[in-house]
Amino acid sequence: MAETKGKFDFAIDRGGTFTDVFARLPDGRERVLKLLSRDPQNYKDAPTEGIRRVLEEETGQLFPRDQPVDTALIGWIRMGTTVATNALLEREGERTALLVTKGFKDLLHIGTQARPKLFDLEVAVPDVLYEEVIEVDERVVLCQDDCQLPRKDPKRIVTGSTGDSLEVWQELDLEQVEKDLRGVLSRGISSVAVLLLHSYTWSDHEKAVGSLARRLGFTQVSLSSEVMPMVRAVPRGYTVCADAYLTPKIHQYLKGFTAGFKGGLKDVDVLFMQSDGGLTPMEQFCGSRAILSGPAGGVVGYAITSYSQMEKKPVIGFDMGGTSTDVSRYAGQYEHVFEATTAGVTLQAPQLDINTVAAGGGSRLFFRSGMFVVGPESAGAHPGPACYRKGGPLTVTDANLALGRLLPSFFPKIFGPAENEPLSLEETMTHFRRLTEEINIFLSASQTQVNGANKSQNSMVPNSQSVMSVEDVAMGFIRVANEAMCRPIRALTQAKGHDTSQHVLACFGGAGGQHACAIARALGMKTVFIHKYSGVLSAYGLALADVVEEVQEPCSLKYEQQCFSELDRRMEQLCRRCHDTLSARGFSNGQITTEVFLHLRYEGTDCALMVTADGYPSHANSCQAGDFHSAFTKRYLKEFGFTIPDRPIMVDDIRVRGCGKSGINSTHKSKMGHTQAKPVMMTKCFFEDGYMDTSVYLWEELPCGKTIQGPAIIIDKNSTILVEPSCEACLTEEGDVCLTVGSDSQCVIGTELNTVQLSIFSHRFMSIAEQMGRVLQRTSISTNIKERLDFSCAVFGPDGGLVSNAPHIPVHLGAMQETVQYQIRSLGNKLKEGDVILSNHPCAGGSHLPDLTVITPVFRKGVNRPVFFVASRGHHADIGGITPGSMPPHSTSLQQEGAVFVSFKLVTGGVFQEEAVTEALMAPAQYPGCSGTRNLHDNLSDLQAQVAANQRGSQLVGELIDCYGLDVVQAYMGYIQSNAELAVRDMLREFAQRRWRQTFSLEVESEDFMDDGTPIRLRVQINEEEAQEQKCGGTATLREPSPYPLSSTVCVAWSDRISPSIRVA
């Protein structure tokens, strides 16, 4: 289908700032073009302008801008666009009304109550996408003999697509719906989203409402049963609202785009990229599948060009742009997620698994409280970095320019107010000299303070580099930025059981080439692949992509022998639907492939995996499509660390992905070189060892097969590649650059404080806590921990002082330090390697009893006491007591709330004490009116998951010590704790100054009430000079005796200040 000989073919990625165009010419040559996405003074639409320019320049014919483009020479057009993403971010979609089952008007406003930023004191709830709500008087419920809802006599019994029986309690009142819809239409709303309960399996009521709305004249009608027929009403509701909200905007854009061509592109094959990495016809492109339309092209591009079917070495995609960096993974199959949140809206639709970190070329540089901080704030396209000559701030781009890694003479003169000047090294250096002076003043003051005071164990000591140069500062920011970008890559690989070092780093995006070697080295990778079109790889990926048709339907069968025939029938039916649709679009049988997926989970759990049986052939005890049982259990074991052999496996959904092979094949080959590449110039670049002579090469002049030793710079029209010392580059036959990363001649780091290393260690410690959290989430079994994320993980020093924590539950983290320190005081020398402690008693730093804290001491060979501690606290759904949930509001003794642990050895000598902990969890049953735990299996599984998370933390701490040495790691632990104190003092000083300006007072007070009306009052005075808070008074008169000491409610405020991404509001 992609063969359009004698014509021009176009693949276009319309981004927020730039539009990238890849064109295949009639003679087989290829051409790329980059232009601004918005330039209203010169053209109306960037993709149209890109096509017009290529046609005009290559044919010599005139294609006037003010006339529709003649399509006679155009074969096909493929596009990826951020139109839907921008409309969602800016809330500029179509005015929409939501129709929902009566009684559930506020369902989507309430949502899941998820708080992604738990440390924000003021949580901004994202606005809903709909403007009005119509409650539809209808009610359908699943037939369940054990249902405890007030029973109603059903009007009738119906059968859903899953095979489940449903009771219709209330028939649809179409007359009232019509009246309500006419009222909405009269107020100018022409788009509706319909969400009726259980429509994923029985959609008759939704279809009736949809037909009525279309008859009344609504231009966009989105039904949840058609957009995404999956169980879970809240994400399904968000998805159908997004579809109704965004699809009209897409159609509006498409109408304007097609108007720029003669005949409205009727005779041209126009395809758009969807979030799942597949192309779809223009008329079927919809809002709910368009959110990742732009980035998806890049993933397809590196996946097809970088992954070797022979070596089968997995690839990490590294797309570094101006504002952020996207990372993803490909190992022979695209990795999809089926529920993801964008701009506060959770969409239930297949999307490529792309992780984003707020660190890019435009990320701003700060020096805060002794820390080098990169981002998350960005300079944006305007004013841009300081070197853009528009009054912008210092950014990562400026740091690379200051170090000589960007050469202004190779950049177009498009900067400055008139956009006719080159990059300004002078502006960059002026800003850096000012910042360097500020940093040196801080270092000098810190050194003076220390010299005049007694040193404590954790006090700041003189900096190892008392005076920093501009280059030292710029290099420090580059190293901190690299570490920030390594964190999501570690999370993407290690969190799913993959070895990061066994990957190839595929680098693309305008800024990635300057950081590729350093990031690969930090992650242990040996190979970096940079495609010849890396600067426009998202556009090139569109040309390589396949047309995709996906169908999915819900299911509620068990994956067992007696259900295989029904599963086979339904899978075959869906495969046939995909095949017929692709055949109707012009694909031959040889071009069509189908792949079957089953959405599987263990019965009684909420964690389902979308599984393919590729590599697991069918046999007598499996479906005809393959052995999904083996595929599921192997993947579950790899991702979560355990399986549940005694539980049935449920099939939630059946999905078929059909592909029509339509990607182009690049025929370009580079010339084999007989001589070494010659540099066009020599320059000076700053590296760890200072300035070094660096060769500069033009990519287009490189012969293939010849090696270039670092340090070197390779320059292309759209990107700059830095080949660092001890690395080498080679051009492949296809014209791509392959970098081999050598070992780092790392300088020895001492125990003296270095401000750059302080920032890097902060990232490393935070990364340990984050990875502990990911292990706990994926190895736990309960909904509380795996789904609700009611857990916390942290790293503690040898004295039990908090070093770092992931941004988990604040109330956990405030008390966990006290829990660890209690165990040190209580057990002392009784702690041995291989021991793990369990505690939840409030006098030992517990919060409430269901929060079980698991503590693992980290030992080092030759040291007889723990060198660190790692701990995790998780909320268990039940641990016994007088009420299910173990949180009775009327308890008068601790035993009534469930099992109690003070210093319980959960693991002794590496052996999990299952019998002893089971006995302790069942012990509350001996008290009158109490029960032992009501969910022992989940308790044991989650405790084992907490042990596994701690084990991961202990391993990572050990690796950090192996890398730097125990004395260095512990020294920087102390510096981080001292820096946290400094950051809090700075925050309190800023708060006091702001408070005084606003109220002329340094006192703040607050009052709150407990469930029984007991008031809790607090008054705090800020000592501005010493930057301390002094509790002037606090009262709480309890009406009943409390088992919890008030001291356990105190939060350790400085614990989160080590995060380099946190700033004072």
Side-chain angles (χ1 to χ4, degrees):
M1 185 175 178
E3 293 300 323
T4 52
K5 293 181 178 179
K7 293 191 175 185
F8 290 83
D9 299 324
F10 295 93
I12 305 170
D13 175 39
R14 184 185 186 277
T17 305
F18 291 103
T19 291
D20 299 333
V21 180
F22 167 83
R24 187 176 64 172
L25 310 183
D27 59 4
R29 290 182 297 117
E30 297 169 351
R31 178 174 171 179
V32 296
L33 178 70
K34 186 183 286 282
L35 63 162
L36 290 171
S37 293
R38 291 179 58 84
D39 191 357
Q41 294 180 343
N42 293 306
Y43 46 81
K44 294 180 180 179
D45 179 69
T48 305
E49 173 66 13
I51 292 172
R52 189 199 67 79
R53 288 186 189 180
V54 171
L55 291 175
E56 188 172 86
E57 293 171 8
E58 293 295 333
T59 64
Q61 302 176 24
L62 185 64
F63 287 80
R65 281 180 179 165
D66 58 351
Q67 297 179 19
V69 177
D70 188 352
T71 62
L73 295 176
I74 300 177
W76 48 250
I77 299 173
R78 300 175 173 197
M79 281 185 62
T81 176
T82 58
V83 169
T85 311
N86 293 339
L88 187 61
L89 290 170
E90 299 164 9
R91 292 298 195 263
E92 292 183 351
E94 189 73 9
R95 296 178 64 194
T96 302
L98 169 67
L99 283 79
V100 67
T101 300
K102 187 175 181 179
F104 293 85
K105 178 180 180 179
D106 296 321
L107 179 66
L108 300 187
H109 175 71
I110 296 170
T112 62
Q113 291 296 292
R115 290 178 56 180
K117 296 182 179 179
L118 284 167
F119 283 84
D120 283 2
L121 297 179
E122 185 177 352
V123 178
V125 179
D127 294 331
V128 293
L129 301 182
Y130 51 85
E131 188 173 317
E132 293 193 28
V133 180
I134 296 174
E135 292 190 86
V136 179
D137 192 9
E138 66 89 43
R139 192 72 167 97
V140 177
V141 298
L142 289 169
C143 292
Q144 297 182 85
D145 295 334
D146 58 348
C147 178
Q148 298 182 18
L149 288 173
R151 302 289 297 185
K152 291 186 179 181
D153 293 330
K155 304 286 193 259
R156 54 191 170 120
I157 304 294
V158 297
T159 302
S161 61
T162 59
D164 292 315
S165 296
L166 301 97
E167 298 178 359
V168 180
W169 285 5
Q170 177 63 49
E171 294 286 0
L172 178 64
D173 186 353
L174 271 179
E175 290 185 8
Q176 184 60 44
V177 173
E178 181 173 352
K179 180 180 177 181
D180 293 336
L181 283 174
R182 288 186 183 277
V184 166
L185 196 59
S186 68
R187 291 187 286 277
I189 297 177
S190 58
S191 180
V192 293
V194 186
L195 170 66
L196 303 183
L197 298 191
H198 299 298
S199 61
Y200 70 93
T201 181
W202 191 73
S203 59
D204 289 24
H205 282 179
E206 272 200 359
K207 289 179 178 178
V209 172
S211 298
L212 173 61
R214 293 186 183 97
R215 180 167 56 82
L216 293 176
F218 284 89
T219 56
Q220 176 63 37
V221 179
S222 298
L223 308 181
S224 71
S225 55
E226 294 177 352
V227 173
M228 182 47 63
M230 293 181 73
V231 72
R232 301 176 70 185
V234 172
R236 192 170 81 248
Y238 283 141
T239 307
V240 72
C241 284
D243 194 78
Y245 185 75
L246 300 174
T247 300
K249 284 294 177 182
I250 290 175
H251 289 168
Q252 181 181 335
Y253 172 74
L254 295 180
K255 183 178 179 181
F257 174 64
T258 56
F261 298 85
K262 287 183 179 180
L265 291 172
K266 289 183 180 179
D267 298 325
V268 178
D269 183 26
V270 183
L271 301 170
F272 273 77
M273 175 61 76
Q274 300 182 110
S275 301
D276 63 357
L279 296 166
T280 192
M282 176 173 60
E283 59 274 10
Q284 295 183 19
F285 190 49
C286 63
S288 60
R289 302 293 183 99
I291 299 301
L292 295 183
S293 175
V299 176
V300 174
Y302 86 75
I304 294 178
T305 59
S306 307
Y307 182 78
S308 169
Q309 291 291 345
M310 295 292 291
E311 296 180 4
K312 297 190 179 299
K313 194 167 186 177
V315 183
I316 294 293
F318 178 73
D319 179 7
M320 184 177 177
T323 303
S324 61
T325 297
D326 294 333
V327 298
S328 53
R329 181 177 184 272
Y330 183 81
Q333 288 184 331
Y334 295 113
E335 297 189 358
H336 291 102
V337 292
F338 293 85
E339 195 169 297
T341 301
T342 302
V345 179
T346 301
L347 298 181
Q348 197 177 43
Q351 302 178 39
L352 292 171
D353 189 4
I354 300 174
N355 292 263
T356 301
V357 59
S363 292
R364 295 180 59 183
L365 311 181
F366 303 95
F367 184 74
R368 292 179 180 149
S369 303
M371 297 271 283
F372 282 61
V373 179
V374 177
E377 298 92 336
S378 173
H382 183 82
C387 59
Y388 281 16
R389 300 177 182 266
K390 293 183 179 179
L394 278 179
T395 66
V396 172
T397 296
D398 290 296
N400 279 307
L401 180 62
L403 297 174
R405 301 175 177 199
L406 293 177
L407 304 177
S409 59
F410 289 90
F411 279 75
K413 295 181 179 181
I414 57 173
F415 305 100
E419 298 185 348
N420 60 354
E421 300 179 75
L423 282 175
S424 174
L425 178 61
E426 296 79 11
E427 286 284 338
T428 292
M429 297 306 288
T430 298
H431 280 71
F432 261 117
R433 280 191 286 269
R434 191 180 305 132
L435 180 59
T436 302
E437 182 180 359
E438 175 189 335
I439 293 171
N440 285 328
I441 290 173
F442 174 88
L443 297 178
S444 177
S446 299
Q447 187 167 356
T448 302
Q449 267 187 340
V450 171
N451 289 338
N454 292 327
K455 298 180 184 178
S456 63
Q457 181 181 353
N458 288 338
S459 64
M460 292 283 204
V461 300
N463 199 287
S464 61
Q465 191 173 7
S466 56
V467 178
M468 299 186 74
S469 67
V470 167
E471 291 81 3
D472 293 331
V473 171
M475 190 68 190
F477 279 113
I478 291 294
R479 292 173 62 192
V480 172
N482 289 342
E483 184 60 38
M485 289 182 284
C486 285
R487 280 171 64 180
I489 297 177
R490 291 191 183 102
L492 189 69
T493 52
Q494 294 173 350
K496 295 184 177 181
H498 307 298
D499 183 352
T500 309
S501 65
Q502 300 304 308
H503 288 70
V504 172
L505 186 68
C507 183
F508 58 106
Q514 300 147 43
H515 300 259
C517 287
I519 287 174
R521 179 182 286 131
L523 295 169
M525 298 179 181
K526 300 301 182 185
T527 305
V528 177
F529 182 86
I530 304 177
H531 193 268
K532 62 184 176 184
Y533 295 140
S534 62
V536 293
L537 194 62
S538 290
Y540 187 60
L542 297 171
L544 301 175
D546 296 325
V547 175
V548 169
E549 173 67 16
E550 281 206 11
V551 290
Q552 181 172 317
E553 63 180 33
C555 181
S556 61
L557 297 173
K558 290 183 179 180
Y559 189 82
E560 56 187 13
Q561 190 75 42
Q562 52 265 44
C563 297
F564 287 162
S565 59
E566 176 62 14
L567 286 171
D568 287 333
R569 184 190 67 79
R570 294 177 63 176
M571 286 187 282
E572 176 60 30
Q573 186 180 55
L574 294 179
C575 287
R576 195 179 309 116
R577 280 175 55 186
C578 280
H579 192 281
D580 292 347
T581 301
L582 291 171
S583 294
R585 293 177 187 166
F587 290 96
S588 65
N589 290 339
Q591 292 177 302
I592 298 174
T593 61
T594 57
E595 188 173 15
V596 179
F597 297 82
L598 295 183
H599 204 200
L600 303 174
R601 62 179 173 84
Y602 283 116
E603 188 176 40
T605 70
D606 285 338
C607 186
L609 297 177
M610 193 67 76
V611 176
T612 174
D614 184 34
Y616 298 88
S618 62
H619 51 77
N621 296 316
S622 75
C623 291
Q624 293 179 6
D627 183 3
F628 285 93
H629 183 279
S630 297
F632 171 74
T633 53
K634 184 173 181 179
R635 182 175 163 194
Y636 203 95
L637 179 64
K638 185 171 187 177
E639 290 206 16
F640 304 132
F642 66 94
T643 59
I644 315 176
D646 56 337
R647 289 207 194 182
I649 296 174
M650 302 300 298
V651 183
D652 279 349
D653 302 276
I654 303 172
R655 169 185 170 226
V656 173
R657 181 178 175 91
C659 290
K661 299 295 181 181
S662 61
I664 66 169
N665 293 315
S666 179
T667 57
H668 172 81
K669 297 290 184 183
S670 296
K671 296 180 180 179
M672 291 297 294
H674 300 289
T675 60
Q676 284 293 339
K678 295 181 179 179
V680 294
M681 64 176 288
M682 297 294 293
T683 188
K684 294 279 189 181
C685 282
F686 191 87
F687 297 96
E688 295 289 349
D689 297 327
Y691 278 106
M692 300 180 68
D693 290 330
T694 304
S695 303
V696 180
Y697 300 88
L698 295 180
W699 192 331
E700 60 190 21
E701 295 181 2
L702 293 179
C704 74
K706 297 298 181 180
T707 298
I708 297 174
Q709 297 293 334
I713 294 176
I714 301 174
I715 294 179
D716 184 35
K717 295 178 182 178
N718 299 310
S719 59
T720 298
I721 301 171
L722 178 69
V723 186
E724 294 200 358
S726 74
C727 300
E728 61 183 34
C730 182
L731 195 74
T732 68
E733 287 187 10
E734 290 75 24
D736 310 317
V737 170
C738 184
L739 301 175
T740 302
V741 181
S743 58
D744 186 13
S745 56
Q746 188 174 1
C747 59
V748 178
I749 298 170
T751 57
E752 301 86 1
L753 173 62
N754 179 289
T755 50
V756 176
Q757 285 297 333
L758 179 66
S759 302
I760 291 174
F761 268 99
S762 175
H763 277 286
R764 293 298 296 268
F765 278 122
M766 286 286 288
S767 179
I768 291 172
E770 288 172 349
Q771 290 195 55
M772 288 174 64
R774 291 188 177 96
V775 170
L776 178 52
Q777 182 185 358
R778 68 184 179 88
T779 57
S780 61
I781 193 172
S782 69
T783 301
N784 262 9
I785 295 179
K786 184 176 284 293
E787 301 292 324
R788 291 183 57 243
L789 309 183
D790 195 349
F791 65 84
S792 298
C793 298
V795 180
F796 302 84
D799 62 348
L802 181 61
V803 178
S804 69
N805 59 262
H808 294 151
I809 308 296
V811 71
H812 289 180
L813 299 164
M816 283 174 74
Q817 172 174 288
E818 173 61 27
T819 305
V820 176
Q821 291 176 336
Y822 180 91
Q823 304 307 323
I824 295 174
R825 293 192 302 268
S826 174
L827 297 176
N829 293 329
K830 297 178 182 178
L831 282 171
K832 305 296 181 184
E833 189 168 6
D835 289 349
V836 178
I837 309 303
L838 171 63
S839 180
N840 69 342
H841 197 289
C843 290
S847 40
H848 56 189
L849 289 191
D851 284 342
L852 301 185
T853 304
V854 175
I855 304 164
T856 301
V858 180
F859 285 86
R860 193 71 179 168
K861 188 175 181 180
V863 183
N864 58 6
R865 296 180 63 87
V867 296
F868 278 92
F869 289 87
V870 290
S872 57
R873 177 172 290 186
H875 184 121
H876 289 239
D878 191 279
I879 57 169
I882 57 177
T883 60
S886 306
M887 291 190 294
H890 56 282
S891 59
T892 57
S893 68
L894 199 58
Q895 289 72 20
Q896 291 177 335
E897 300 194 4
V900 180
F901 303 92
V902 180
S903 299
F904 183 90
K905 286 202 173 183
L906 182 64
V907 177
T908 302
V911 179
F912 186 78
Q913 303 298 304
E914 182 170 347
E915 185 176 341
V917 74
T918 299
E919 182 180 344
L921 286 167
M922 301 306 297
Q926 63 185 294
Y927 298 98
C930 295
S931 165
T933 179
R934 299 165 181 86
N935 203 351
L936 178 63
H937 180 272
D938 283 7
N939 291 136
L940 295 176
S941 296
D942 284 351
L943 285 172
Q944 290 169 344
Q946 288 179 257
V947 172
N950 287 7
Q951 179 63 27
R952 179 60 177 158
S954 177
Q955 177 188 347
L956 291 172
V957 169
E959 291 176 2
L960 195 63
I961 294 172
D962 290 339
C963 182
Y964 293 100
L966 177 60
D967 54 345
V968 173
V969 174
Q970 287 193 332
Y972 274 93
M973 172 204 72
Y975 301 150
I976 284 172
Q977 291 174 324
S978 296
N979 181 263
E981 177 187 341
L982 176 64
V984 172
R985 287 187 183 277
D986 286 348
M987 179 270 292
L988 290 173
R989 192 174 288 111
E990 289 180 28
F991 175 80
Q993 293 169 354
R994 187 169 64 249
R995 179 75 178 173
W996 181 260
R997 288 195 302 268
Q998 295 171 350
T999 66
F1000 298 102
S1001 171
L1002 294 180
E1003 289 187 1
V1004 290
E1005 56 184 24
S1006 181
E1007 181 181 67
D1008 205 345
F1009 298 89
M1010 298 179 70
D1011 291 346
D1012 64 356
T1014 300
I1016 300 178
R1017 301 183 183 92
L1018 177 68
R1019 185 162 57 93
V1020 176
Q1021 185 178 52
I1022 307 297
N1023 184 330
E1024 183 179 356
E1025 291 183 1
E1026 297 185 16
Q1028 292 180 345
E1029 60 176 63
Q1030 298 172 340
K1031 187 172 71 173
C1032 300
T1035 61
T1037 305
L1038 302 181
R1039 301 182 180 181
E1040 295 286 348
S1042 171
Y1044 298 100
L1046 289 178
S1047 62
S1048 69
T1049 66
V1050 176
C1051 288
V1052 184
W1054 55 261
S1055 65
D1056 192 57
R1057 299 301 303 167
I1058 71 161
S1059 171
S1061 62
I1062 300 293
R1063 64 169 301 179
V1064 179

